[in-house]
Amino acid sequence: MPDALVRRLSFIDRFLPVWIFAAMALGIGLGRAFPDIGARLDTVKLDTVSLPIALGLLWMMYPVLAKVRYGELGRLRSRGKLFGVSLLLNWVVGPVLMFVLAWVLLPDLPHYRTGLILIGLARCIAMVLVWNMLACGSNELAAVLVALNSVFQILFYSVLGWFFITVVPGWLGAEGAAFDVSMWSIARSVLIFLGVPLVAGALTRIGLTRLKGEEWYEKTFLPRLGPTALLGLLYTIVLMFAMQGEKITRLPLDVVRISIPLMLYFVIMFASAFFLSRKLGFSYEETASLSFTAAGNNFELAIAVAVGVFGMASGEALAGVVGPLIEVPALIALVYLSLWLRRRLFPESESVVLPRRLEGARPE
């Protein structure tokens, strides 16, 4: 990361990877020390997700969505080319790439392979907003792209799951797996984990700007609210890894096998989206938003579907659990890479959007 940017970050932001790795280690340690912690946390659920984790997901997204300037969303309606690129990356390139990587690298492990395919089809609707914010992308554009992916996810996840898991393997002369998940189960997940914080964020901005004014909201309220998104992220990571720590440590070689295609997927998707966006002349803020929405995945949905269709103890579910283990450090690394590429490829953006703090202070 450029030295100038490092000096302008807060203490929390400067050591963000340290906090995230510490949260992962703490979660795995808790899972090993208290093997029944997963069952206890899972006793109460919101939709198909453990209630303590669901609360973390909702809070993690709320501060990010409260930062979106919803009055500016109308200006994005004319960006047909940008939306077309996003749909191509998310619903053609991403699923096909994950399918290819899964079959090439896990030909002898069909359960893990199916789990990876489910991940490739679950486009990100949660953490991508945090990664985009940290990379100084456009919050407004990211919110629109997430909403667009959510609609496509409701309409096509079941169809594409059936196609890639049962139909295409048959064309390749292999036996496919049974796949049955309703459109409503996906819609319910999207409505809860995107809709609730989206409405809360919009109402917060509208209500407080009318009451206190835009300047107070941007310069006083958001700098106080913004850091809590990171707390929500760390809390969620601790609980996710606590619930699955025993599996992760009991099958280390399987985790490594699953991790390789995941890591390749994140790097290839991000690099393809970033340089395609640059080639098409998009700004840095647009490029970052496109790249992170293309590279991120909705592991909550993938895990919920894998558990519902194949069972909690299945290889498909374990593949879903390994996903965040790889995604979190990978996407954090890509945040730093994105900021470094901004300096190299978008020098004009440095003087315009370089924030004092990654958690959301507006550029002066």
Side-chain angles (χ1 to χ4, degrees), residues 39 64 180 233 319 359:
V64 180
D180 181 25
L233 174 63
E359 64 259 26

Side-chain angles (χ1 to χ4, degrees), residues 83-352:
F83 295 150
V85 171
S86 178
L87 291 175
L88 174 67
L89 290 168
N90 278 284
W91 295 102
V92 179
V93 177
V96 170
L97 175 62
M98 188 68 91
F99 178 87
V100 171
L101 290 172
W103 273 86
V104 170
L105 298 174
L106 300 175
D108 56 328
L109 297 170
H111 299 297
Y112 297 153
R113 188 172 65 227
T114 298
L116 288 178
I117 293 171
L118 291 176
I119 292 171
L121 295 175
R123 311 315 301 169
C124 195
I125 65 168
M127 289 187 180
V128 67
L129 296 172
V130 178
W131 309 136
N132 175 76
M133 175 191 68
L134 294 174
C136 304
S138 167
N139 288 331
E140 290 73 28
L141 177 59
V144 173
L145 294 180
V146 163
L148 190 64
N149 279 331
S150 299
V151 172
F152 271 72
Q153 200 152 243
I154 294 169
L155 296 176
F156 297 115
Y157 189 91
S158 296
V159 175
L160 290 174
W162 167 77
F163 178 74
F164 281 105
I165 293 174
T166 65
V167 176
V168 178
W171 293 348
L172 299 175
E175 183 179 351
F179 183 79
D180 181 25
V181 60
S182 71
M183 184 180 294
W184 168 240
S185 66
I186 300 168
R188 188 172 60 237
S189 177
V190 171
L191 288 172
I192 292 172
F193 295 109
L194 176 64
V196 171
L198 176 64
V199 171
L203 291 177
T204 300
R205 173 173 280 277
I206 293 170
L208 289 182
T209 52
R210 287 180 178 177
L211 185 65
K212 294 281 192 175
E214 185 77 20
E215 183 175 359
W216 178 89
Y217 187 84
E218 294 286 348
K219 294 185 177 181
T220 302
F221 179 74
L222 284 184
R224 295 175 181 173
L225 178 67
T228 66
L230 176 58
L231 296 178
L233 174 63
L234 296 176
Y235 163 84
T236 304
I237 290 171
V238 169
L239 292 188
M240 287 179 67
F241 285 93
M243 292 182 70
Q244 301 295 338
E246 188 274 333
K247 283 186 179 179
I248 292 170
T249 55
R250 179 166 50 87
L251 300 169
L253 293 180
D254 287 15
V255 171
V256 171
R257 291 285 305 275
I258 296 169
S259 300
I260 293 172
L262 280 170
M263 184 64 73
L264 290 173
Y265 172 85
F266 293 133
V267 172
I268 294 171
M269 283 300 297
F270 179 86
S272 300
F274 199 97
F275 290 105
L276 175 61
S277 300
R278 171 64 174 170
K279 184 76 172 178
L280 292 174
F282 297 146
S283 68
Y284 170 78
E285 293 78 12
E286 294 168 336
T287 296
S289 297
L290 278 170
S291 300
F292 282 100
T293 52
N297 292 85
N298 183 0
F299 287 100
E300 297 75 35
L301 175 60
I303 292 171
V305 170
V307 170
V309 177
F310 301 102
M312 176 64 79
S314 66
E316 290 84 354
L318 178 59
V321 169
V322 173
L325 177 67
I326 305 305
E327 186 192 47
V328 171
L331 269 293
I332 282 293
L334 291 176
V335 166
Y336 284 83
L337 175 62
S338 182
L339 292 169
W340 181 82
L341 288 172
R342 178 178 65 172
R343 187 182 184 186
R344 294 283 189 253
L345 302 179
F346 300 88
E348 69 282 356
S349 73
E350 288 274 308
S351 61
V352 177

